[in-house]
Amino acid sequence: MIEPATFVRWFRSALPYIHSHRGRTFVVHFGGEAIADPAFSGLIHDLALLHGMGIRLVLVYGIRPQIEARLRRRNLACRYHRGLRITDAAALECVKEAAGEARLEIEARLSMGVADSPMAGVRLRVASGNFITAKPLGVIDGVDFEYTGEVRRVDAEAIAHLLERELVVLVSPLGYSPTGEVFNLRAEAVATAVATALKADKLLLLLEGPCNLGKERVAQLTSAEARQHLNRGAFSEEIAPHVEAAVRAVEGGIARAHLLDRHQDGTLLLELFTRDGSGTLISRQPFETLRPATLEDIPGILELIEPLEREGILVERSRERLEMELEDYCVIERDGLVIGCAALHPFPEAKTGELACLVLHPDYRGENRGRRLLEHVEHRARALGLQRLFVLTTRTSHWFLEQGFKPGDFTELPQERQRRYDVRRNSKVLFKWL
Ligand SMILES: CC(C)(COP(=O)(O)OP(=O)(O)OC[C@H]1O[C@@H](n2cnc3c(N)ncnc32)[C@H](O)[C@@H]1OP(=O)(O)O)[C@@H](O)C(=O)NCCC(=O)NCCS
């Protein structure tokens, strides 16, 4: 039984993630191994939970082991070239059967609402369909791949329409051609194509093991770094196609692709709702960036400063004021969350700037981010031709003294700022020459 205090702390810490994921579109890919695993229901429950939190889900499934089992049963050989299956007419029959059976299995699991299970009372509606148009891969190195195909088009409009109606969309690794033929596709490639066409917020790929470089888990990579590792063959043969799919998705405009070890219980929840995640995030931008604030950052900034306003460490700021002064703000964004901010309010006539609202989320203090924000503000101030910075602080003066600020008097503030000085707060005034 989880301790009440631990539960409450954990639940509160998940709140910013819950807010930030609501209404977003996530494409989740898992292989046929996951479907065949007795632990599959755990994954289904976690997906139901994500759906329940207002996340729009598209599930793309693979069927490789199911196809192989059918081929074996019929004494047919598994034929591969360059790691890709050659699908002849007999193999295609196995592919169709396996895809149909997997679809029924997933739909049945998503429909379960057994009392005493995490699915009790959940009513999930699932849709599948002919979303993928495919074309034959053709002949490569003189080898005809026959019914092995590649994605030609994704009917993103139809999928988006179903997501709009709160359905979970299920996509098989089969595609249809305008000539009425069925093609066997790589599920990871389908997932990437679907995510890109939908302009999804995330692509989550569940792998058969951790996405390690050597023995170490890598928590984050930019798409350029991941591409370099791929080129030098740093990933295992099993993981590499998934990394490739993730990199392509990011190169195709998806902000974040996550590679997760499906054997870790609750891997989706850990990755999506905890600070350190559980897998490997691939993004175009570095995972953490310091940049000017935009309108979208306002809820995040307000959430960050509210506890400090309540404690009286910061002066209260309304949303309207924040919107008006937005161009003075910069933020540190980490995986979509605002974890730090600072503002520079310039007083050009006095060649002075006020450093204000310097805050870091408590989980991210003590790792030099405060100093980085300050350096950024100083850099901007210099660029604006300012010669001095000042800060008004009640509780943080020692931190500023350590950063080169010197105590001063409020009469040294620009006139305009003196008039607004709140004598009841009795803040200390500190200056730094740039
Ligand atoms: C002040 C703040 C922005 C510093 O951010 P940070 O990323 O932790 O800063 P750094 O990593 O560069 O520096 C951390 C050091 O500053 C010290 N420090 C943090 N707050 C301090 C304070 N109020 N007074 C004195 N020292 C402080 C830490 O103890 C740490 O020292 P150590 O390395 O010797 O352990 C952050 O602590 C914060 O958000 N505080 C609450 C908001 C606040 O007070 N803002 C200023 C309003 S005017």
Side-chain angles (χ1 to χ4, degrees):
M1 184 57 193
I2 182 170
E3 280 277 309
T6 311
F7 173 78
V8 169
R9 197 169 48 245
W10 174 83
F11 206 72
R12 285 181 181 149
S13 73
L15 188 66
Y17 299 99
I18 295 173
H19 279 310
S20 110
H21 297 328
R22 182 177 300 137
R24 307 273 180 189
T25 302
F26 295 177
V27 175
V28 183
H29 161 274
F30 49 87
E33 294 83 356
I35 306 171
D37 193 323
F40 187 46
S41 50
L43 173 60
I44 290 287
H45 296 157
D46 290 350
L47 291 168
L49 192 90
L50 299 185
H51 175 77
M53 284 198 266
I55 294 169
R56 297 161 178 225
L57 286 180
V58 181
L59 311 180
V60 183
Y61 60 93
I63 44 172
R64 185 183 272 243
Q66 287 82 352
I67 298 173
E68 274 158 16
R70 278 180 172 73
L71 287 169
R72 271 196 306 275
R73 242 180 276 146
R74 294 180 195 178
N75 283 326
L76 295 167
C78 298
R79 287 163 59 219
Y80 289 94
H81 181 65
R82 291 196 183 192
L84 268 179
R85 182 186 306 285
I86 301 164
T87 315
D88 57 22
L92 183 66
E93 285 313 303
C94 298
V95 172
K96 286 197 225 168
E97 279 176 31
E101 197 178 300
R103 173 186 151 185
L104 295 178
E105 178 67 26
I106 300 166
E107 285 180 354
R109 300 282 191 125
L110 285 168
S111 309
M112 260 169 54
V114 182
D116 294 336
S117 87
M119 299 284 278
V122 178
R123 177 79 186 94
L124 263 178
R125 291 188 297 157
V126 188
S128 357
N130 58 341
F131 307 120
I132 310 293
T133 307
K135 60 184 179 200
L137 200 56
V139 181
I140 301 176
D141 307 328
V143 178
D144 187 352
F145 278 84
E146 302 189 48
Y147 292 99
T148 301
E150 55 189 345
V151 179
R152 182 168 162 190
R153 206 170 36 245
V154 175
D155 190 349
E157 201 186 321
I159 299 177
H161 185 65
L162 294 163
L163 293 174
E164 201 63 49
R165 288 165 47 206
E166 295 182 12
L167 273 80
V168 173
V169 177
L170 196 57
V171 181
S172 77
L174 297 188
Y176 308 92
S177 74
T179 52
E181 282 164 313
V182 177
F183 286 92
N184 175 26
L185 311 173
R186 257 199 120 103
E188 308 88 71
V190 173
T192 301
V194 169
T196 313
L198 271 179
K199 298 189 172 56
D201 297 285
K202 281 184 194 297
L203 169 64
L204 298 138
L205 298 151
L206 296 169
L207 326 185
E208 287 307 303
C211 178
N212 284 355
L213 275 171
K215 285 207 167 69
E216 297 284 307
R217 159 167 96 102
V218 258
Q220 71 222 38
L221 288 172
T222 63
S223 48
E225 288 166 343
R227 171 70 66 211
Q228 280 170 5
H229 290 307
L230 272 174
N231 290 346
R232 64 181 180 84
F235 295 105
S236 71
E237 216 170 283
E238 205 169 30
I239 304 282
H242 294 88
V243 180
E244 176 73 40
V247 170
R248 281 197 184 192
V250 172
E251 287 170 349
I254 302 301
R256 295 178 180 84
H258 304 250
L259 297 152
L260 308 173
D261 177 5
R262 75 163 182 91
H263 293 286
Q264 180 172 23
D265 186 29
T267 185
L268 279 168
L269 306 184
L270 288 168
E271 182 71 4
L272 293 170
F273 299 102
T274 65
R275 178 187 149 179
D276 294 320
S278 63
T280 302
L281 169 77
I282 297 184
S283 57
R284 183 177 283 272
Q285 300 289 339
F287 185 54
E288 196 175 299
T289 49
L290 200 172
R291 56 166 177 75
T294 67
L295 275 174
E296 276 96 66
D297 297 321
I298 289 182
I301 297 177
L302 287 169
E303 209 161 305
L304 196 64
I305 62 182
E306 241 162 41
L308 295 155
E309 290 176 347
R310 258 184 272 128
E311 279 183 60
I313 295 176
L314 290 182
V315 190
E316 280 187 37
R317 284 169 177 78
S318 65
R319 173 183 282 268
E320 292 70 33
R321 185 171 152 205
L322 203 58
E323 274 178 28
M324 262 160 49
E325 295 177 345
L326 192 63
E327 64 178 31
D328 293 352
Y329 282 78
C330 58
V331 294
I332 297 185
E333 186 210 303
R334 188 179 154 100
D335 191 19
L337 291 186
V338 175
I339 62 155
C341 67
L344 169 67
H345 304 309
F347 294 85
E349 273 107 81
K351 293 207 180 319
T352 300
E354 176 176 5
L355 165 66
C357 203
L358 172 70
V359 182
L360 275 163
H361 185 282
D363 285 353
Y364 300 93
R365 288 183 194 160
E367 290 167 19
N368 274 326
R369 291 187 182 87
R371 195 163 308 151
R372 272 179 55 212
L373 279 167
L374 174 62
E375 278 167 10
H376 179 85
V377 167
E378 288 177 3
H379 185 76
R380 247 200 98 212
R382 277 192 213 99
L384 292 172
L386 309 180
Q387 295 169 348
R388 250 181 359 160
L389 276 186
F390 70 88
V391 63
L392 302 185
T393 179
T394 51
R395 306 261 293 276
T396 320
S397 57
H398 275 223
W399 188 82
F400 289 107
L401 291 173
E402 282 176 27
Q403 312 303 323
F405 281 77
K406 299 273 180 290
D409 193 76
F410 105 103
T411 53
E412 295 169 61
L413 294 175
Q415 288 287 326
E416 186 190 341
R417 189 64 182 87
Q418 282 186 34
R419 280 195 292 278
R420 281 192 286 118
Y421 181 84
D422 182 349
V423 276
R424 278 167 312 168
R425 272 184 74 77
N426 194 20
S427 306
K428 294 202 164 50
V429 185
L430 304 172
F431 289 90
K432 182 170 184 179
W433 287 95
L434 295 169

